[in-house]
Amino acid sequence: VQLGADEYLILKDLLKEKYQLDDEAVKSRLSLATGHKIAKWEYFPPRLGRISLGLYEHGKTQDHQKENSPLRQQLHLLRQRLPHKRHFRLALVNGFGSNLGDNLMGSTAFAQVARVLAAELGEFSVDVLLGWKFSPGCHDMLLRLPYVRNVYDSGLSLAEFGSYDAHFDTSHLLSQPMYNGMPTVDWYLWWMGLEPEDIPAADKRNHIHLPYSDWQAVASLLRSEAAEQRILFCHRASVPLRSIGLAQARGLARKLLATNQNIQLVVDFTLEFKHSRLLDLDGQIDSPSKFMALIAQVDGLFTIDSFSQHVADACATPTLLLANVLPPDLYPYYPHMSALLLPQARELPGWGRSKTDDLEEWDAMAAQYEQAWRKLKGEALWPLLQEQMHKRPELLVQAPAQLHIAPEQALRQRFCQVQPATLAASEHLHWHAEHPGPAWEKVTQRLLELGGSIVRHGSVVVHCSPGTGLAAQGLAERIYPRGVYHLWEPRRLYAQTQAAHFMLAGLDNLHLHQCLPSSSRGPVSLPDLDPYSESAPHQPGNACYETDVPTAALDSIKLPMCRLLIVQPPLVFHDVLSSGHELLATHKPWVLLGPLNQAQARQAGGILRKAGYALWAEEVQNANEKTDQNLLMVGVPPDQKADMRGFMKIEINEHEAK
């Protein structure tokens, strides 16, 4: 698990509390390795940016703070190191920080970094590893970026992290060199190895993507009351230091309403007073995307909150920023924004700080900020915003809104898609590998239904001999992205077909074992097909031949956990289960077997019964189908409760169990 120093302290406290351990006991159970030590590992992906690792000299930190655009040279070296690569997988550790605003600005900067990556590497994708404490909404915001494949909200193992070709790291964002020493979007560009002055100012404005349903939901809230001008007043931020106290915010709101009789003031957090021109949406703006849609649909914005000002830039909404801890010149690329500094802000104790997590520290400085907010003249705010609103039509020509509204869409993008427009109307791409009977099709559907109710996000599944059926892909969708799908398929063409299914669906959680799960040792001879012995690979005249397939026990892969085990014909059910004694005894996964006949059910059931499983079955044979393989069997783990109404109980006596 990759941790920062502060996260280690959190983890240590959690372990002490949960297991009632003292400090020495906790230390004895945790093995720690520093970043520099891990970086010496042969497979550790090099770090890119101003502070690099592993590209110039293995395991040594390289400081590139005074170099010009070091990222380009780093990518050139990476390409030389991996000349065979056609697709580069990159990781972004800690995302762009923990807050929504940081991630929006970081995404703006990374769009320029992505151009350089594409120019130097060709095809690439980015997986984002969020830190322990991140704002809800960062996940979906980052997944909507075109180059992001996965967003993880829990740590990867070192082995998983070693599969990347390189990584960026923004851990301990606030303590990194030059942070708060330049505009925030410029810092992201600089930290990742580019020169901010080389990027046009227009490319440093933010872009946002909104689902149409959230846009419509907010529009219906605003449609209820007509107003000449709607002005949003955001008085709360993510921390008290960058918020306006309730009493002071209420006073400012009253003055704004009194100053202009033609505005309707909108608030997303209640000010605890009523007014005929105050629209209180407290509790109704319940997601970041609805908040962004609200900013896009008002005529102007007064805000203390930094995230709202970044969104307002993308929406081209006229904004007055009420700055109290950070200088407004950190955001010089927002043409639709002006700023007003809180009186005596530079003399207050929180100046230059983004936040304070210490409540006692905030309590000691809160009174000074309350006094400063009382000095702010509410009647002086409206003319400053009105000036921005008057300039908006002219500004829109040079600085249009960067707002994209789209129908609901799957956030995870597919790796490989065929555009329908490129095919004739009668053509369809598919694999014609088998024509399963009704029993097999019904079992496939039941595996999806039953397995889907058993697995959870992050589960580990072992599936043996799925053929070309889509049950494996469907269950892998349920556990994605942290779940792992171990697929055992000894038949080469079926294994390749399953790998293609996963790739086309954008699922990269497949672990493919092209061997026979068995308790026996040594290779087994199986029939295979040579798709190039005929003039076309799909012709029935292609030759069959015998090929040796390796065998391996299920226990050989030493899984850390397992939630579900599925075995399908033509594998020998009891042989597969016999090779997984440790798996059944240690992890006690749910077991689904089928379709199988009564004799196979009793043989396999004997093994499961000895492991303490309760056995149930249902008939999957249709009336017009003559086959003895007509059962789907469910093994319920010991101490697990399940509602098995509609299933037949299978009783295995002691003799049969032996």
Side-chain angles (χ1 to χ4, degrees):
V1 180
Q2 195 166 9
L3 296 172
D6 54 342
E7 294 167 339
Y8 166 66
L9 297 176
I10 294 171
L11 176 62
K12 191 170 73 169
D13 290 342
L14 288 171
L15 290 173
K16 287 167 64 177
E17 179 182 347
K18 182 170 183 178
Y19 298 107
Q20 302 298 308
L21 303 173
D22 57 25
D23 283 336
E24 289 303 317
V26 170
K27 289 180 181 178
S28 69
R29 286 164 169 78
L30 288 176
S31 178
L32 300 177
T34 64
H36 290 298
K37 183 177 180 181
I38 295 172
K40 294 178 181 178
W41 179 45
E42 179 182 359
Y43 303 105
F44 190 78
R47 185 167 83 186
L48 308 174
R50 290 291 163 179
I51 308 296
S52 72
L53 276 173
L55 276 171
Y56 292 92
E57 185 176 336
H58 193 70
K60 182 180 179 181
T61 301
Q62 295 287 334
D63 190 330
H64 309 279
Q65 294 188 47
K66 297 181 180 179
E67 294 181 23
N68 185 52
S69 294
L71 178 62
R72 297 180 185 276
Q73 175 63 11
Q74 292 167 1
L75 296 177
H76 180 69
L77 291 173
L78 184 63
R79 166 58 77 184
Q80 285 185 329
R81 174 189 283 191
L82 303 168
H84 61 285
K85 274 279 182 180
R86 298 185 61 183
H87 183 94
F88 285 79
R89 296 179 66 236
L90 308 177
L92 174 60
V93 178
N94 197 50
F96 300 106
S98 59
N99 294 320
L100 287 164
D102 291 333
N103 280 278
L104 183 54
M105 288 185 291
S107 300
T108 298
F110 204 83
Q112 306 307 313
V113 175
R115 291 182 180 181
V116 177
L117 294 174
E120 297 292 338
L121 301 179
E123 288 188 23
F124 74 96
S125 60
V126 178
D127 286 355
V128 181
L129 283 61
L130 293 174
W132 276 33
K133 296 180 283 186
F134 61 91
S135 298
C138 292
H139 191 278
D140 287 357
M141 180 192 296
L142 293 170
L143 269 178
R144 293 187 185 278
L145 301 178
Y147 41 80
V148 170
R149 292 262 347 259
N150 301 303
V151 176
Y152 296 112
D153 51 20
S154 56
L156 300 181
S157 69
L158 190 58
E160 290 172 310
F161 194 67
S163 68
Y164 291 100
D165 300 308
H167 75 285
F168 294 94
D169 193 341
T170 64
S171 298
H172 304 294
L173 191 74
L174 302 181
S175 62
Q176 298 296 355
M178 297 294 290
Y179 191 79
N180 280 352
M182 59 178 74
T184 306
V185 67
D186 285 350
W187 180 85
Y188 282 111
L189 289 164
W190 179 85
W191 180 247
M192 293 183 184
L194 298 181
E195 300 308 314
E197 56 270 21
D198 294 342
I199 309 298
D203 290 338
K204 298 176 184 180
R205 293 189 58 225
N206 299 316
H207 294 244
I208 61 172
H209 299 261
L210 290 177
Y212 181 73
S213 59
D214 287 337
W215 177 272
Q216 284 296 95
V218 171
S220 65
L221 293 174
L222 298 178
R223 199 178 297 127
S224 60
E225 298 180 40
E228 185 175 326
Q229 291 178 323
R230 284 195 179 89
I231 307 300
L232 178 61
F233 179 36
C234 294
H235 68 281
R236 281 184 53 172
S238 57
V239 294
L241 176 62
R242 287 186 288 118
S243 298
I244 307 175
L246 180 59
Q248 291 74 45
R250 191 186 299 123
L252 288 174
R254 289 186 187 278
K255 288 181 180 178
L256 289 171
L257 288 166
T259 302
N260 191 319
Q261 302 297 320
N262 298 318
I263 68 168
Q264 181 188 49
L265 201 63
V266 183
V267 292
D268 61 325
F269 285 102
T270 186
L271 291 173
E272 297 182 2
F273 81 96
K274 295 187 181 298
H275 191 283
S276 60
R277 289 184 287 113
L278 177 67
L279 179 58
D280 190 336
L281 298 179
D282 187 49
Q284 300 181 74
I285 306 300
D286 53 8
S287 70
S289 57
K290 285 185 181 178
F291 182 61
M292 292 189 281
L294 177 61
I295 293 172
Q297 295 183 54
V298 296
D299 300 298
L301 169 68
F302 292 107
T303 185
I304 183 71
D305 172 52
S306 58
F307 176 56
S308 61
Q309 68 170 351
H310 306 318
V311 174
D313 167 61
C315 302
T317 299
T319 301
L320 177 64
L321 172 66
L322 306 174
N324 69 330
V325 292
L326 295 175
D329 55 10
L330 285 178
Y331 316 107
Y333 307 114
Y334 296 170
H336 297 274
M337 186 189 84
S338 60
L340 179 65
L341 194 61
L342 181 69
Q344 299 176 332
R346 297 178 185 274
E347 286 76 48
L348 292 172
W351 179 253
R353 299 173 58 180
S354 299
K355 59 183 176 180
T356 171
D357 293 324
D358 190 331
L359 293 179
E360 291 185 4
E361 183 185 18
W362 166 245
D363 289 341
M365 64 174 75
Q368 298 177 65
Y369 278 91
E370 288 179 11
Q371 187 176 3
W373 284 114
R374 288 195 191 98
K375 294 178 181 178
L376 187 65
K377 303 294 184 182
E379 55 272 12
L381 303 183
W382 175 249
L384 295 173
L385 179 61
Q386 196 171 37
E387 183 182 353
Q388 283 297 123
M389 294 170 68
H390 288 157
K391 291 192 298 184
R392 186 173 191 259
E394 181 182 345
L395 286 173
L396 281 173
V397 177
Q398 300 296 327
Q402 311 287 339
L403 171 65
H404 311 279
I405 303 171
E408 298 291 346
Q409 57 185 354
L411 292 177
R412 178 172 48 79
Q413 297 183 358
R414 274 27 182 175
F415 180 78
C416 181
Q417 289 181 322
V418 176
Q419 300 299 325
T422 64
L423 301 175
S426 60
E427 289 183 311
H428 300 281
L429 291 183
H430 65 283
W431 284 271
H432 186 75
E434 61 186 8
H435 185 69
W440 180 273
E441 292 178 346
K442 187 173 180 181
V443 165
T444 299
Q445 183 60 35
R446 292 297 284 149
L447 288 176
L448 271 173
E449 295 167 356
L450 294 171
S453 67
I454 292 169
V455 297
R456 308 177 183 127
H457 171 78
S459 294
V460 174
V461 178
V462 175
H463 194 159
C464 302
S465 188
T468 59
L470 294 176
Q473 179 189 326
L475 292 174
E477 290 267 9
R478 305 281 179 93
I479 65 175
Y480 191 85
R482 292 312 319 278
V484 181
Y485 209 90
H486 287 270
L487 197 150
W488 294 67
E489 180 52 79
R491 299 164 293 179
R492 178 177 58 87
L493 289 180
Y494 289 128
Q496 292 173 344
T497 299
Q498 286 291 349
H501 284 330
F502 274 68
M503 184 193 73
L504 289 168
L507 296 165
D508 52 11
N509 57 346
L510 173 66
H511 285 219
L512 183 61
H513 308 270
Q514 195 181 332
C515 59
L516 183 70
S518 173
S519 55
S520 61
R521 295 183 178 180
V524 173
S525 183
L526 292 180
D528 203 349
L529 183 70
D530 180 2
Y532 298 104
S533 60
E534 179 61 85
S535 57
H538 61 277
Q539 294 293 335
N542 278 287
C544 284
Y545 65 97
E546 294 288 318
T547 183
D548 287 338
V549 175
T551 60
L554 289 182
D555 288 338
S556 65
I557 57 175
K558 304 295 182 186
L559 292 176
M561 63 188 76
C562 182
R563 177 73 177 172
L564 175 64
L565 169 63
I566 303 173
V567 186
Q568 294 186 260
L571 295 180
V572 181
F573 294 96
H574 67 274
D575 186 32
V576 176
L577 295 176
S578 296
S579 75
H581 278 302
E582 186 179 333
L583 176 72
L584 295 173
T586 304
H587 303 305
K588 298 178 174 58
W590 290 73
V591 179
L592 299 178
L593 308 175
L596 72 175
N597 58 34
Q598 290 191 25
Q600 292 169 326
R602 292 201 171 275
Q603 287 179 321
I607 295 173
L608 293 175
R609 190 69 189 89
K610 285 178 67 176
Y613 280 73
L615 305 175
W616 302 81
E618 70 174 355
E619 198 169 10
V620 293
Q621 180 177 344
N622 295 324
N624 60 352
E625 185 180 18
K626 302 300 180 183
T627 176
D628 67 336
Q629 284 192 307
N630 61 354
L631 295 176
L632 173 64
M633 191 161 80
V634 180
V636 179
D639 304 323
Q640 291 276 356
K641 294 181 179 179
D643 182 0
M644 303 304 294
R645 281 177 291 186
F647 287 78
M648 302 173 289
K649 183 75 180 286
I650 297 180
E651 299 290 352
I652 303 285
N653 61 39
E654 222 174 286
H655 175 72
E656 289 172 320
K658 291 178 181 179

